[in-house]
Amino acid sequence: MKNTPVHYIFITVIIHILTPGVKLYDGNDYTAINITNLVEIDKMNNLSLHFNIKSDHTDGQLFLLPMLDYYISVEVQFGYLKVVQIMNGSQEALNNGIFVSDNRQHTVAIDGYGQNLKLTVDTVLSYLQSIQRFSHYSAQGIIYIGGTPNNIRTSMNLTRNWIGCLNNITINRKDISLIPHHAIIHGNISQEHCLSRDIQLAYLTKLQSRIQFNELIYYNQSAEYNLSFSFRSTYSQRFELLQIAESLSGHLLRLITNNNDLFIDAFGFSPLPGIINRHIFDGNWHTLSILLNQSHCLVKLDNDERILTSQQSFQNLNATQNRTVTIQFHGCIKDLVWNNQLQFWNHPKLLLTDVLLNTCGVQDYCRPFDPCYNNGTCTNRFDTFRCLCGDTSPFTGARCQDYRYKQSCYDLFRLERNRMDGWYMIDPDGYNGILQPFPTYCVRLDPMVTTIRHQVGEDRYDIPQNNSIGPGAHVIDIHYQDGDAGNLQNISANQIIGLINISNLCSQVLNYFCSRSVLLNYPHQPYVWWVGRDGQAMTSWSSAPIGSRKCACGVVDSCLDNKVCNCDADRQVWASDEGTLTSKAYLPVTELHVGFQSGDIPRQSSVQLGSLSCSGRELPSNIITLTSSRLGVDLNQQQFSEDDIMISFKGKFINGVLLSFQGLSNKMMVLTVSAKQVNLTYNLGQGLGQQQLSVVSEALQLYNDDNWHQVRFRLSLARSWLSVDQVTSFENLTTAGRQLTPFEFGGMLSVGYNSAIGIDGFVGCLGDLYIGFKKYNLQAFTRNEIVKGCQIPCFQAPCQNFGVCKGNYSSFSCDCSVTQYIGQVCNHIRGAEFIDGNSIIYTANQFNPSKNLILLSFWTKLADVEIMNLKSSSNDGQHNELVIGIVGTRLFLTVNETNFSFEELNHLKYDDQRRHDIIIDFDKNSMIVDKNELQDIPKLNIFRTLTVQLGDSNNGLGNLCLNNVSILGLRPLDVAYQSPNSPNLQFIPNRFGRQVEEAVCIDAEIVTTPALSTASPNTLSSSSTTSKLTATTPSTSSSRSTTKSTTPARSTPRFPSTTRLATILYVTDTVPSDSQQATTITVVACVIGILLLLVAVAGLYWYYIVRPKKKNDIELISVNKNIPDGNGQIDQPAETIGQSNDIKIEADRSESISIITE
């Protein structure tokens, strides 16, 4: 033991090295540091205060920091950290829900920058956006640590000085243990370590936890002892706190608690029971002491004491007996003293049951954040809290967060699927509305219907003839009332209108039964009518349109005697006009007016008015359409803590974010939807991290069916849940039992795309956004890019020339198959590209021409090509043939093997890849080539069998484009590319297997480029139809000279197909040398290498510099959407001859166009 001092010194030195800046405060002392001109601290404009804390006390002042024009107070209140900004008598506080008064060490960080204040206890962050900017400290200020002087504490209404340990204190990252001694104007920064403070502290963890010990005493020592200890608890319940019993004397002392009363029951003492009334279950330390001897019993609780007088005599016996002391409750105890001796928990005579040593886990679960809403009263339970909502409160639930009354039976059964049929109170305008709840009988039907009855009942009501003569003479006022037997309650018109306004469908049966009693009496004055909610007389009857002056039978012309109502036939036999009123704008029925024509003969009638029935939820309104996954709406500064949030959506191809929020203290919420599932990912900021609720669509229902779907959810510490439509609901009961940080969800709520999250937004229609019972008009928050209303791009009629528009909410396509046009918006006349010798053949055996015209437009670079070949034959062997083509760049016409050459056109070249238009009018015997009109074209007799070939199967390698082809009323290209395919058509592929493709014929410039290959005439495709541009028999014409051509079709260089490009590249006749080819390859390779290098640099620049950074690790599955672009260019052709002047491209019949609105 001689080395003990050395060991103590060594351990103390090590502890001091490891824990600089340690101070143990006793509740009386404090430290004051003058920071005037103290550069060690006053350097930064922001606030940074970090420290460790350890104590079992629940209240105390830790720091008081002077800023320029306000103070920062750091304190422990009810066992929780609290940071307060004090300025001009006003306060703004930030709390943290980590309990720090458990005699364990906790790490605390307080950081202020700008207008943001963060309080971190251990790992839990609380966040406050302050109204006051943080600035540097006051130059003349004094920092107080561990408490304040009495005058400052009183003037600023601060709490008592701290009892406990503070260490590792740094202010603006400066260790206070390094502060010069002259700056410390009061107290000191001692080097006493927190562990040197010996506290006999224990935590009784359960209601049955106990501390018990026995001792053997002489009989004459009976009823002589003293006992004291400190305790704290928050669980108020009737239980026996203390019992001291003796085995022989019969002496018994009991202390019993019941709420705030402490009952004293001492055998042989009076008056009994002694009562001390004091609030002892407040979570604070209370001291209990007992002194008992043969004359009196003194029980003292804090400053309240009761003295009981002994009423018994004590015998002096030598016998011995056992005395048993039992302390039992849920809470903490320390400094247990028995007969003036401090009891140590490790003493073998102490029996501990469910007790933890050197810690105290008792905390006030109603602090620092009141978990109860709507004026609910919070009470502590064993290890949680309970909210008492009150018998008359309209709120219920674990936190009094649920409004007791649903808006309709539809909402009741949808949100609480275990509800049974019965009487319920409903409140259509919610708890913020002005209308009172009213009763109704709810039945779980499909659809779920809310009914409201009236005093007349649903049976037939007979109209007395007396005093009912004349139009509407008998008036029946309808009073609506509902409720179970003996408890009827009147329901006002405004309450009913509130139900109608939130419902999808409402109806009321209205029937009229008659005998010699007319109803509407059209066209004369009606004798019967009903009055709607606005007091307007309605002269149309059930199931007939409002204002029609008809009954249901009159709408379909089926009434008796051709009247507008059956009863208007005025027959003696009974008739009726029955139906249902369905116009929500006029319901409910408030009056019925019935009258008879006269009283000279017996007339009878009765009316039947059913209950008002409403079902479903109103269709969405205030709708917007998001046409891109990068479009959204931001609702600034919205508060939605513990409120139901509801939104309706409608779409076709859906996969994106509906709603999102990113707030303080890691709080966030993202609501996403896909075709089969709705997910709600959220973080309540209570240290639980991200959680997710999901609702999967039913087997036969998908959310991308272009119908309205409704999502409803609530984020709550008591119960977070998600519901989609009326058939699916999911609840999550694993959220935090108490708050660790402020729970207010407030800030910017984003609808659709949120750039802070970076996930694709929803594309489609959105409406009916509710937060609580408040409805938000999304259209009021829109920008120019967002469409108001629910509309797909087809509403703008983008398809031209009678093309059929199809699409979703982000893109559309035009179906041009039933028109003569193609292109993205059906804006180009249909054409076809003939390449390298392919062709189209159309054959008709029973052809009947509708016009005597041949129309076509062509583009080509070929100097020798057959454009069109027409053959017509009869059963008796007669035939005619007409060929249009180019030979030697000149245009030729061949009719029945006679080749016509036109001198007027000899100076023109037709291989210039520009559009040329041809019209042959057989009625006028004329031919128009572009703007040149030629006469005396021979008439061609057309027989029943017709064969038309477009393109030249022997033309070699090259391109020909035709459009607007009309032959004697036949449009072969339209037939070729319309569905279904005609059996009269035959596609002849070229030698490479490529068929004629639909295309848009547009002018292009000649671009010279080296030839890729040279084709030989022997490699050309062949066909049964041979070219007629060969030697023929000469013929003469009065207006032009004709020559016999003997020039064979020459080979044409091959050029690559580039129909999908913006230009067409043609090939020259020259073939480059080997050196030229090598040089070309080298140049091309260099260019490609440079381009790849630039692309790589640009990619790196985007990834590391431009790419938006992901701000939160939100664990969602995001599906990227590739939305095709559209150029939006419109080219309007002529009706008969193509007049477009763009670039030749190949087009699909249905090509999708994206609406890019960014």
Side-chain angles (χ1 to χ4, degrees):
M1 298 297 294
K2 63 181 180 180
N3 293 328
T4 301
V6 177
H7 293 164
Y8 175 78
I9 294 173
F10 175 76
I11 293 174
T12 302
V13 170
I14 295 299
I15 290 175
H16 289 168
I17 294 175
L18 296 177
T19 58
V22 175
K23 178 65 177 176
L24 183 62
Y25 293 94
D26 59 4
N28 297 313
D29 198 9
Y30 63 89
T31 302
I33 302 174
N34 188 348
I35 62 172
T36 303
N37 301 321
L38 194 60
V39 297
E40 286 84 354
I41 293 179
D42 190 19
K43 278 188 176 182
M44 303 178 65
N45 288 331
N46 298 328
L47 169 66
S48 176
L49 173 62
H50 295 189
F51 58 92
N52 292 341
I53 183 176
K54 179 182 178 182
S55 177
D56 63 324
H57 283 265
T58 56
D59 294 277
Q61 186 73 36
L62 300 180
F63 296 91
L64 184 65
L65 308 177
M67 310 301 284
L68 272 182
D69 51 2
Y70 61 94
Y71 286 89
I72 294 291
S73 172
V74 182
E75 59 191 69
V76 175
Q77 188 178 57
F78 306 109
Y80 304 95
L81 257 297
K82 179 180 180 181
V83 181
V84 184
Q85 285 183 276
I86 305 173
M87 182 176 65
N88 298 328
S90 63
Q91 295 186 357
E92 191 172 20
L94 173 62
N95 293 282
N96 188 289
I98 293 295
F99 188 69
V100 297
S101 298
D102 55 359
N103 202 42
R104 298 180 184 273
Q105 182 160 286
H106 298 274
T107 301
V108 181
I110 301 171
D111 297 285
Y113 52 94
Q115 289 181 262
N116 302 306
L117 178 63
K118 295 195 302 182
L119 169 60
T120 305
V121 181
D122 297 334
T123 60
V124 175
L125 169 67
S126 296
Y127 196 102
L128 173 69
Q129 196 161 26
S130 172
I131 59 175
Q132 177 69 29
R133 288 189 61 84
F134 287 94
S135 58
H136 56 76
Y137 300 113
S138 170
Q140 303 296 325
I142 296 176
I143 294 178
Y144 292 97
I145 304 175
T148 58
N150 290 334
N151 61 331
I152 294 179
R153 183 165 62 252
T154 302
S155 63
M156 299 185 66
N157 195 26
L158 302 177
T159 187
R160 64 188 181 186
N161 289 359
W162 178 240
I163 300 177
C165 182
L166 286 173
N167 65 348
N168 288 340
I169 304 172
T170 62
I171 301 178
N172 285 359
R173 301 184 180 88
K174 300 298 181 181
D175 189 341
I176 66 167
S177 64
L178 303 179
I179 292 176
H181 181 73
H182 66 82
I184 303 175
I185 61 176
H186 185 275
N188 60 77
I189 302 176
S190 70
Q191 295 299 312
E192 182 181 7
H193 191 260
C194 295
L195 297 180
S196 64
R197 183 167 181 252
D198 189 9
I199 302 176
Q200 288 300 304
L201 176 67
Y203 175 34
L204 289 77
T205 61
K206 299 179 180 180
L207 294 176
Q208 297 78 21
S209 299
R210 67 175 58 189
I211 298 173
Q212 190 175 65
F213 59 89
N214 297 314
E215 66 176 359
L216 187 65
I217 63 171
Y218 288 104
Y219 190 86
N220 59 2
Q221 293 176 319
S222 177
E224 293 184 359
Y225 50 79
N226 64 77
L227 170 71
S228 67
F229 59 85
S230 296
F231 71 96
R232 65 183 177 92
S233 178
T234 59
Y235 185 32
S236 175
Q237 188 182 23
R238 179 181 175 87
F239 60 89
E240 190 174 84
L241 172 66
L242 173 68
Q243 183 188 91
I244 302 176
E246 297 176 356
S247 59
L248 293 180
S249 65
H251 173 74
L252 178 67
L253 172 67
R254 295 190 307 163
L255 298 183
I256 301 171
T257 65
N258 185 13
N259 294 325
N260 293 327
D261 292 328
L262 180 66
F263 293 90
I264 306 168
D265 182 15
F267 176 75
F269 289 81
S270 66
L272 294 178
I275 300 176
I276 299 178
N277 183 270
R278 189 174 183 84
H279 184 36
I280 58 176
F281 298 103
D282 55 1
N284 295 320
W285 286 108
H286 298 276
T287 300
L288 176 68
S289 63
I290 300 172
L291 174 62
L292 188 144
N293 55 37
Q294 295 185 6
S295 63
H296 67 275
C297 174
L298 172 65
V299 179
K300 185 175 183 181
L301 178 61
D302 295 334
N303 296 323
D304 292 338
E305 64 180 32
R306 296 292 181 272
I307 299 178
L308 307 180
T309 304
S310 175
Q311 301 294 318
Q312 65 175 340
S313 60
F314 294 89
Q315 300 178 7
N316 188 9
L317 300 177
N318 292 324
T320 60
Q321 62 177 341
N322 284 322
R323 176 184 288 157
T324 304
V325 179
T326 304
I327 301 173
Q328 179 175 329
F329 71 105
H330 169 64
C332 298
I333 185 173
K334 68 177 179 179
D335 299 334
L336 173 63
V337 176
W338 173 254
N339 289 335
N340 302 318
Q341 294 292 324
L342 178 66
Q343 304 298 306
F344 293 91
W345 305 125
N346 58 356
H347 195 285
K349 75 173 184 179
L350 291 180
L351 176 63
L352 307 180
T353 304
D354 294 324
V355 176
L356 297 178
L357 302 181
N358 298 320
T359 187
C360 179
V362 170
Q363 54 186 318
D364 189 345
Y365 291 98
C366 296
R367 312 277 186 172
F369 312 103
D370 188 349
C372 303
Y373 293 88
N374 302 304
N375 299 318
T377 301
C378 181
T379 61
N380 280 282
R381 305 295 291 172
F382 167 60
D383 57 356
T384 182
F385 63 90
R386 180 184 179 187
C387 292
L388 304 177
C389 306
D391 296 335
T392 61
S393 173
F395 294 91
T396 185
R399 296 174 180 248
C400 306
Q401 78 279 6
D402 293 327
Y403 187 51
R404 192 181 300 272
Y405 311 119
K406 299 297 184 274
Q407 290 185 274
S408 65
C409 296
Y410 172 85
D411 281 355
L412 176 75
F413 290 131
R414 173 191 166 182
L415 299 178
E416 301 182 26
R417 301 184 66 180
N418 59 341
R419 290 280 192 171
M420 305 300 293
D421 297 353
W423 288 102
Y424 295 96
M425 298 289 289
I426 63 172
D427 187 1
D429 65 346
Y431 65 85
N432 286 329
I434 61 175
L435 303 177
Q436 294 298 313
F438 59 86
T440 186
Y441 193 83
C442 294
V443 179
R444 185 184 291 275
L445 298 174
D446 188 14
M448 302 168 191
V449 177
T450 303
T451 58
I452 301 178
R453 299 182 298 178
H454 50 79
Q455 93 282 6
V456 177
E458 296 189 351
D459 295 333
R460 291 170 59 169
Y461 178 88
D462 295 329
I463 307 299
Q465 187 173 5
N466 296 333
N467 301 322
S468 301
I469 307 302
H474 186 86
V475 180
I476 307 172
D477 291 320
I478 307 301
H479 302 290
Y480 290 88
Q481 53 187 206
D482 219 331
D484 54 0
N487 190 26
L488 290 177
Q489 178 177 328
N490 291 328
I491 304 173
S492 68
N494 288 332
Q495 289 174 309
I496 298 173
I497 292 171
L499 173 65
I500 293 173
N501 289 341
I502 67 167
S503 301
N504 181 26
L505 299 174
C506 290
S507 62
Q508 199 165 8
V509 171
L510 180 57
N511 301 328
Y512 188 69
F513 305 91
C514 56
S515 170
R516 301 301 299 270
S517 175
V518 297
L519 200 157
L520 296 182
N521 197 33
Y522 182 81
H524 307 295
Q525 183 177 3
Y527 276 81
V528 182
W529 61 86
W530 59 278
V531 177
R533 68 189 189 191
D534 295 329
Q536 181 180 356
M538 311 303 297
T539 56
S540 54
W541 204 244
S542 295
S543 299
I546 298 295
S548 64
R549 286 291 306 270
K550 294 181 180 180
C551 295
C553 63
V555 177
V556 295
D557 296 328
S558 62
C559 298
L560 297 175
D561 298 342
N562 295 323
K563 300 291 185 176
V564 297
C565 297
N566 289 320
C567 288
D568 287 349
D570 200 19
R571 294 186 178 184
Q572 185 173 359
V573 297
W574 280 93
S576 65
D577 288 290
E578 305 178 36
T580 303
L581 302 173
T582 59
S583 179
K584 289 171 52 179
Y586 300 95
L587 292 176
V589 176
T590 59
E591 294 178 5
L592 290 174
H593 292 249
V594 183
F596 297 108
Q597 304 95 299
S598 65
D600 55 345
I601 60 175
R603 301 180 186 272
Q604 295 177 285
S605 70
S606 61
V607 292
Q608 184 180 32
L609 179 65
S611 300
L612 178 72
S613 299
C614 293
S615 63
R617 190 85 186 187
E618 64 172 332
L619 292 177
S621 58
N622 306 130
I623 301 169
I624 62 173
T625 302
L626 301 179
T627 58
S628 167
S629 60
R630 289 297 185 268
L631 286 179
V633 173
D634 295 331
L635 281 68
N636 294 325
Q637 298 304 318
Q638 303 302 319
Q639 298 292 331
F640 44 92
S641 297
E642 298 284 352
D643 282 324
D644 290 9
I645 301 178
M646 183 173 69
I647 192 169
S648 298
F649 69 89
K650 175 183 177 182
K652 292 185 177 180
F653 304 101
I654 57 176
N655 193 347
V657 177
L658 288 173
L659 294 173
S660 60
F661 164 81
Q662 194 162 13
L664 308 177
S665 303
N666 299 321
K667 290 190 282 288
M668 52 76 61
M669 174 273 296
V670 180
L671 178 68
T672 61
V673 60
S674 63
K676 295 183 178 181
Q677 187 165 311
V678 176
N679 294 323
L680 178 64
T681 303
Y682 59 94
N683 187 338
L684 302 181
Q686 306 301 317
L688 297 175
Q690 289 185 20
Q691 297 176 283
Q692 188 174 81
L693 303 177
S694 298
V695 172
V696 179
S697 64
E698 293 190 332
L700 300 179
Q701 180 188 28
L702 295 177
Y703 299 132
N704 61 350
D705 57 359
D706 205 25
N707 290 318
W708 282 106
H709 298 276
Q710 187 185 79
V711 180
R712 197 168 184 172
F713 66 93
R714 176 184 291 178
L715 297 176
S716 170
L717 293 177
R719 183 186 66 172
S720 295
W721 52 266
L722 171 67
S723 172
V724 184
D725 296 333
Q726 71 274 16
V727 294
T728 53
S729 180
F730 185 85
E731 296 181 357
N732 182 15
L733 301 177
T734 61
T735 52
R738 62 185 182 89
Q739 288 177 242
L740 301 180
T741 66
F743 181 61
E744 292 79 18
F745 264 64
M748 185 176 70
L749 178 66
S750 295
V751 181
Y753 180 69
N754 184 347
S755 59
I757 296 177
I759 303 175
D760 285 352
F762 172 81
V763 176
C765 297
L766 296 172
D768 271 7
L769 174 63
Y770 282 86
I771 299 178
F773 289 94
K774 181 180 179 181
K775 186 175 183 178
Y776 287 79
N777 183 1
L778 291 176
Q779 295 183 358
F781 298 89
T782 57
R783 305 187 303 272
N784 292 333
E785 304 92 336
I786 297 176
V787 178
K788 294 183 179 180
C790 186
Q791 299 169 333
I792 62 175
C794 289
F795 86 97
Q796 296 177 331
C799 301
Q800 303 178 26
N801 302 303
F802 303 102
V804 178
C805 184
K806 301 177 181 179
N808 52 42
Y809 296 93
S810 64
S811 63
F812 71 93
S813 63
C814 293
D815 184 358
C816 312
S817 60
V818 296
T819 72
Q820 302 172 8
Y821 296 82
I822 60 173
Q824 294 177 332
V825 291
C826 306
N827 57 331
H828 297 289
I829 295 178
R830 177 176 283 107
E833 180 195 28
F834 301 82
I835 184 169
D836 298 343
N838 50 21
S839 61
I840 296 176
I841 297 176
Y842 179 87
T843 303
N845 295 324
Q846 298 294 325
F847 181 74
N848 186 19
S850 60
K851 295 181 181 179
N852 284 329
L853 292 173
I854 294 178
L855 312 175
L856 63 85
S857 299
F858 71 89
W859 291 253
T860 188
K861 181 66 184 298
L862 296 172
D864 298 283
V865 63
E866 184 177 290
I867 297 174
M868 185 199 75
N869 184 309
L870 183 151
K871 292 181 179 180
S872 178
S873 61
S874 64
N875 294 332
D876 56 5
Q878 301 182 64
H879 68 276
N880 287 316
E881 185 174 10
L882 182 146
V883 179
I884 300 174
I886 299 174
V887 174
T889 74
R890 303 294 187 266
L891 183 67
F892 276 81
L893 175 67
T894 300
V895 179
N896 293 328
E897 299 187 352
T898 301
N899 192 13
F900 293 88
S901 177
F902 308 105
E903 294 181 356
E904 298 92 329
L905 307 178
N906 283 343
H907 65 287
L908 302 175
K909 293 185 178 182
Y910 291 92
D911 59 347
D912 58 357
Q913 65 173 336
R914 296 189 180 277
R915 185 186 73 246
H916 296 283
D917 304 324
I918 296 176
I919 303 176
I920 300 177
D921 189 341
F922 293 112
D923 291 336
K924 297 181 180 179
N925 291 358
S926 66
M927 175 177 176
I928 299 175
V929 180
D930 296 334
K931 296 182 180 180
N932 302 301
E933 184 173 0
L934 309 174
Q935 299 295 328
D936 299 331
I937 299 300
K939 187 173 181 63
L940 191 69
N941 294 323
I942 301 301
F943 303 106
R944 300 305 295 264
T945 300
L946 178 73
T947 300
V948 177
Q949 175 172 325
L950 300 178
D952 185 357
S953 59
N954 296 318
N955 73 326
L957 300 179
N959 288 55
L960 167 69
C961 196
L962 300 178
N963 82 355
N964 198 36
V965 179
S966 177
I967 301 173
L968 305 173
L970 170 69
R971 299 187 66 87
L973 295 184
D974 295 341
V975 177
Y977 296 105
Q978 290 180 352
S979 297
N981 294 330
S982 172
N984 297 28
L985 278 170
Q986 182 181 6
F987 287 83
I988 306 300
N990 59 22
R991 67 176 195 170
F992 306 106
R994 181 173 179 177
Q995 294 184 350
V996 179
E997 297 182 359
E998 187 180 47
V1000 177
C1001 302
I1002 303 175
D1003 288 355
E1005 297 178 358
I1006 298 176
V1007 180
T1008 304
T1009 186
L1012 300 179
S1013 64
T1014 302
S1016 168
N1018 297 329
T1019 64
L1020 300 180
S1021 300
S1022 61
S1023 174
S1024 58
T1025 304
T1026 58
S1027 175
K1028 296 303 177 181
L1029 302 180
T1030 55
T1032 57
T1033 305
S1035 176
T1036 59
S1037 175
S1038 60
S1039 62
R1040 66 188 67 79
S1041 62
T1042 60
T1043 59
K1044 183 189 224 180
S1045 175
T1046 58
T1047 305
R1050 66 181 183 179
S1051 62
T1052 308
R1054 175 187 176 188
F1055 60 92
S1057 173
T1058 57
T1059 58
R1060 290 287 184 186
L1061 302 179
T1063 59
I1064 301 177
L1065 305 180
Y1066 287 90
V1067 182
T1068 64
D1069 291 334
T1070 60
V1071 179
S1073 64
D1074 291 343
S1075 61
Q1076 290 176 323
Q1077 291 179 348
T1079 302
T1080 301
I1081 293 174
T1082 302
V1083 172
V1084 171
C1086 291
V1087 171
I1088 293 175
I1090 294 173
L1091 291 176
L1092 291 176
L1093 180 61
L1094 291 175
V1095 169
V1097 172
L1100 292 174
Y1101 177 78
W1102 175 85
Y1103 186 85
Y1104 289 103
I1105 304 300
V1106 178
R1107 179 176 65 94
K1109 302 301 185 294
K1110 192 171 184 180
K1111 296 186 178 181
N1112 281 285
D1113 185 18
I1114 299 175
E1115 300 171 1
L1116 296 176
I1117 298 177
S1118 176
V1119 180
N1120 294 327
K1121 297 181 179 179
N1122 296 323
I1123 302 178
D1125 291 335
N1127 54 26
Q1129 186 176 356
I1130 303 299
D1131 177 38
Q1132 181 60 49
E1135 290 295 326
T1136 55
I1137 301 298
Q1139 297 179 357
S1140 58
N1141 192 27
D1142 298 329
I1143 300 170
K1144 176 182 178 184
I1145 61 173
E1146 185 176 329
D1148 295 326
R1149 283 174 289 170
S1150 297
E1151 188 166 357
S1152 179
I1153 300 176
S1154 292
I1155 303 296
I1156 303 299
T1157 57
E1158 295 180 307

